Amino acid sequence: MGSIATDDIRAMPCYSIPEAAHYLRIPETTLRSWVRGRKYPTSGGDQFFQPVIELPDDSQNLLSFINLVEIHVLDAIRRDHRISLHKVRIAIDFIKEELKSDLPLAYHKLETDGLDLFVEEYGQLINVSQAGQLVLRNLLQAHLRRIDRDSAGYARRLYPFTRKRLGQQFIEEPKAIVIDPRISFGRPVLVGTGIPTAIIAERYKDGEAIGALADDYGRPTLEIEEAIRCELYTRAA
């Protein structure tokens, strides 16, 4: 099966769970259950639900860049369908076999050869209509378009969403912020620069105006606004 070498910078543990949740705008408790699993009550006592995303080192609570991409895609799958992670895992295992990849959510063939297969399988599992499957397909495509890939088809850059998502309104959101594991230790930066969004947000919090920051960095106002959204966004877990 296709995969990425364990010594590839994209596969190395780098992001804490709170960091990843913040960058991807996902509740921390939700993300934690995806990567660490969770207990759930049954009539026979507590059971443990296995995680759907595999961390690079199970002894650490740190995610890799590839994990960020997997969660970015998984968020599209579960955003409008509050269903069990068990069914999500079944669908992921199905497409893993179909695409012959250990990392199907981060692999280009999901976008090309596997998208319709995945949507059909997942749609049957959660019993959604054809119209619902079309919505799911559009959501997945919107998320997949925000991933740049290397020549082997694996993710190398991610353009995270920075705005509140309502339905499909976020689909054409600008790609002003990028997460690239080779730049600024994989923290979000303005596209085409090494300027960390965290520094821009700190200066804004200290009272500097957006226009002044745009002039100082020689960047469009829109990019400065997106950097601030990226860093100052909070969401209840």
Side-chain angles (χ1 to χ4, degrees):
M1 284 190 175
S3 190
I4 291 179
T6 56
D7 60 352
D8 189 307
I9 192 172
R10 295 170 293 179
M12 294 181 178
C14 182
Y15 306 93
S16 69
I17 290 175
E19 275 184 311
H22 181 76
Y23 295 155
L24 299 177
R25 301 169 70 91
I26 296 173
E28 185 179 332
T29 51
T30 298
L31 192 148
R32 188 178 299 276
S33 71
W34 291 357
V35 301
R36 301 304 295 176
R38 65 167 180 254
K39 289 183 179 180
Y40 62 96
T42 70
S43 58
D46 286 348
Q47 299 290 325
F48 182 74
F49 194 87
Q50 296 295 325
V52 294
I53 300 294
E54 183 178 351
L55 297 180
D57 183 345
D58 197 51
S59 67
Q60 303 182 59
N61 281 328
L62 294 176
L63 289 73
S64 68
F65 170 76
I66 289 297
N67 290 149
L68 289 191
V69 173
E70 292 176 308
I71 291 165
H72 168 80
V73 176
L74 181 57
D75 187 41
I77 297 168
R78 296 200 73 226
R79 174 160 295 277
D80 290 333
H81 302 286
R82 301 298 182 184
I83 56 116
S84 73
L85 288 178
H86 174 65
K87 290 184 178 179
V88 174
R89 186 185 295 109
I90 291 173
I92 291 174
D93 287 344
F94 166 79
I95 205 67
K96 181 184 293 186
E97 290 300 320
E98 290 292 322
L99 300 185
K100 306 302 180 188
S101 171
D102 291 333
L103 302 167
L105 298 183
Y107 193 33
H108 79 101
K109 284 191 175 180
L110 176 61
E111 191 169 5
T112 54
D113 304 342
L115 185 58
D116 289 333
L117 283 172
F118 184 87
V119 169
E120 181 179 357
E121 176 73 8
Y122 189 72
Q124 290 175 357
L125 281 169
I126 64 177
N127 194 29
V128 298
S129 65
Q130 289 293 320
Q133 289 188 29
L134 179 60
V135 170
L136 175 59
R137 191 181 197 282
N138 289 339
L139 285 169
L140 274 166
Q141 285 181 319
H143 282 67
L144 293 169
R145 283 197 296 268
R146 302 187 74 84
I147 302 169
D148 279 351
R149 304 180 186 280
D150 62 16
S151 59
Y154 284 103
R156 62 177 179 176
R157 284 187 290 267
L158 173 65
Y159 302 90
F161 290 109
T162 58
R163 304 181 184 191
K164 184 177 181 180
R165 285 167 275 175
L166 298 172
Q168 297 184 57
Q169 294 178 15
F170 62 88
I171 287 179
E172 300 304 326
E173 188 173 311
K175 295 179 180 178
I177 308 301
V178 66
I179 296 175
D180 185 329
R182 302 165 302 172
I183 299 174
S184 192
F185 302 99
R187 270 53 191 176
V189 299
L190 295 183
V191 168
T193 78
I195 304 170
T197 56
I199 292 177
I200 295 172
E202 281 301 315
R203 292 181 61 178
Y204 175 75
K205 284 168 60 179
D206 287 341
E208 295 191 54
I210 290 175
L213 290 169
D215 290 342
D216 197 14
Y217 288 111
R219 308 300 298 181
T221 299
L222 171 66
E223 291 187 9
I224 302 301
E225 292 173 341
E226 291 297 294
I228 293 168
R229 285 192 183 98
C230 176
E231 292 295 335
L232 301 187
Y233 169 82
T234 58
R235 179 175 182 172

